[in-house]
Amino acid sequence: MQLISKKLSLSTMVRKSMPIFVTEYINNVNSKRLSKEIVSNSDTIKLPHDPTDKNIFIRKKFTSESAESWKVVSIDITNQSTTKTLCKVFLEPVTYSTESISERHGSNGSKLIRGRIAECDFGYFDQEVNHSLNRSKVIKDFNSPLPFEMVKRRMVVILSSKQDPALVVPLSTKSKAKDSNTVVEINSLPGDLVAFSEPVCFAKAASITLVSGHRLFPLRYYNGQRKVYDKRLEKKLSNDDVVEIKKAALKAVGGNNFLYDLDRTQSEVKTLEASKQVLELEIEELRKANQQLWDDLEAATTPPVEEEELA
């Protein structure tokens, strides 16, 4: 998080181990002070955030605003002593759609179509578990995502169909994998999506995971300067890309030998089919030769017709 002047990131404040008191919350969009807080289910010391500390989110409801989810833009230290810290927190409302794929189409997951592209909200790390780059060595709370697990909103491709939960593989703009067999280059991605300026990306098959359909949302695209959920049509990858992703996912779980045997079997089947075609041609030639022999035999054994018989 880029903070200026006497502003600190929340993780830095936590490491100081001193009481932190928020004197006021301010809507950064219109610079108005948010009035009385009526709902709070998040402690400002334990705000969920992403691993690089660039995005911090809280859930609070105020009498002056309808939004309940907020992004922390900055924290302004107003007074600091050896015993406590006073600060102002500047927030922006989070405008995620409230309708996930499952909520829009029913709990039967009827729209979990194989090959469909969606946004998956994996959530964020807990502040106690991860302090920027200094990860906790001892983990006592397993109720939230842990380091090295999938976090934040990511674009995914759905590999299961008509069933909730969904089996998904994340898509990335970069290819960083020690085993290239588990990374598939995708060329059938639409070019107007948020965070994907080019229609080429990579499917990380080794990160295949099972998620609730309630974590899946429609894709977003840029409508001018605004990010809009795309409800124009359902976007899908090509069938060839989906097949390659499935093969890579099988390799990621140790199915190389199975694929090798399958490829070898398919190769043998193709060879046998080619041999079958050759044999069928030979059989057809033999049938023709056999028919010619019968015709010759018929002609040789049929007595000639006498003229008077014709009369």
Side-chain angles (χ1 to χ4, degrees):
M1 177 183 294
Q2 299 297 324
L3 304 174
I4 60 175
S5 184
K6 296 174 64 178
K7 298 179 181 180
L8 300 175
S9 69
L10 195 61
S11 57
T12 302
M13 295 169 65
V14 171
R15 286 195 290 270
K16 288 180 177 295
S17 300
M18 65 173 65
I20 301 171
F21 298 95
V22 179
T23 58
E24 57 183 324
Y25 290 99
I26 300 172
N27 189 332
N28 194 63
V29 176
N30 52 26
S31 300
K32 291 184 178 180
R33 182 179 183 273
L34 293 168
S35 55
K36 184 179 178 181
E37 185 178 340
I38 56 177
V39 174
S40 173
N41 57 357
S42 175
D43 188 331
T44 54
I45 297 179
K46 299 179 180 179
L47 299 182
H49 67 102
D50 71 8
T52 56
D53 204 27
K54 291 181 179 178
N55 297 297
I56 300 177
F57 297 89
I58 61 176
R59 290 181 56 83
K60 291 182 181 294
K61 188 172 183 179
F62 304 90
T63 54
S64 60
E65 297 284 346
S66 59
E68 295 186 29
S69 297
W70 301 84
K71 177 180 178 180
V72 179
V73 179
S74 61
I75 303 172
D76 192 352
I77 306 299
T78 57
N79 194 349
Q80 190 171 17
S81 66
T82 57
T83 58
K84 64 181 180 180
T85 296
L86 302 181
C87 65
K88 296 179 182 179
V89 179
F90 292 83
L91 306 174
E92 285 186 0
V94 177
T95 57
Y96 284 163
S97 170
T98 58
E99 289 187 323
S100 66
I101 290 176
S102 286
E103 289 169 336
R104 289 171 60 205
H105 301 290
S107 59
N108 63 348
S110 59
K111 288 295 180 178
L112 298 181
I113 303 170
R114 184 179 72 94
R116 180 182 178 181
I117 315 169
E119 286 188 16
C120 184
D121 195 334
F122 289 100
Y124 288 84
F125 289 135
D126 187 277
Q127 181 71 36
E128 288 187 332
V129 174
N130 182 76
H131 292 179
S132 189
L133 298 178
N134 300 320
R135 293 183 173 88
S136 175
K137 294 181 179 180
V138 179
I139 299 173
K140 299 179 181 179
D141 181 9
F142 293 92
N143 293 323
S144 58
L146 306 181
F148 304 111
E149 293 181 347
M150 197 71 67
V151 293
K152 70 183 184 181
R153 278 213 171 196
R154 295 178 182 270
M155 192 178 297
V156 298
V157 56
I158 300 172
L159 294 187
S160 55
S161 59
K162 297 183 179 179
Q163 187 176 0
D164 191 351
L167 195 61
V168 301
V169 167
L171 301 177
S172 174
T173 55
K174 298 179 180 178
S175 173
K176 292 183 179 179
K178 296 180 180 178
D179 186 0
S180 59
N181 290 328
T182 63
V183 178
V184 179
E185 183 176 343
I186 303 299
N187 294 289
S188 57
L189 193 71
D192 61 348
L193 304 178
V194 174
F196 283 79
S197 58
E198 298 294 334
V200 177
C201 66
F202 301 88
K204 304 298 184 66
S207 298
I208 187 171
T209 186
L210 201 64
V211 300
S212 167
H214 294 281
R215 288 187 178 272
L216 299 173
F217 295 82
L219 294 177
R220 289 174 291 171
Y221 70 102
Y222 280 112
N223 183 6
Q225 298 298 320
R226 296 175 60 245
K227 296 177 182 179
V228 181
Y229 281 92
D230 196 346
K231 299 180 181 179
R232 301 170 298 181
L233 60 127
E234 306 295 353
K235 287 187 167 61
K236 293 177 60 179
L237 294 183
S238 66
N239 185 65
D240 290 341
D241 281 340
V242 174
V243 170
E244 291 303 315
I245 293 172
K246 283 192 169 185
K247 287 182 179 180
L250 190 56
K251 292 177 182 178
V253 295
N256 299 60
N257 292 335
F258 174 79
L259 285 176
Y260 173 75
D261 292 339
L262 180 62
D263 290 340
R264 184 178 61 182
T265 302
Q266 289 178 340
S267 178
E268 292 175 352
V269 169
K270 288 181 180 179
T271 301
L272 290 173
E273 287 179 346
S275 300
K276 177 185 175 183
Q277 292 178 355
V278 172
L279 290 174
E280 286 177 345
L281 291 175
E282 292 179 355
I283 290 173
E284 184 62 26
E285 292 297 326
L286 290 173
R287 283 175 179 168
K288 291 180 179 179
N290 183 59
Q291 186 62 42
Q292 185 64 43
L293 287 173
W294 278 108
D295 292 342
D296 293 344
L297 179 62
E298 183 71 19
T301 58
T302 301
V305 179
E306 299 291 339
E307 291 182 3
E308 45 188 52
E309 289 182 2
L310 292 174

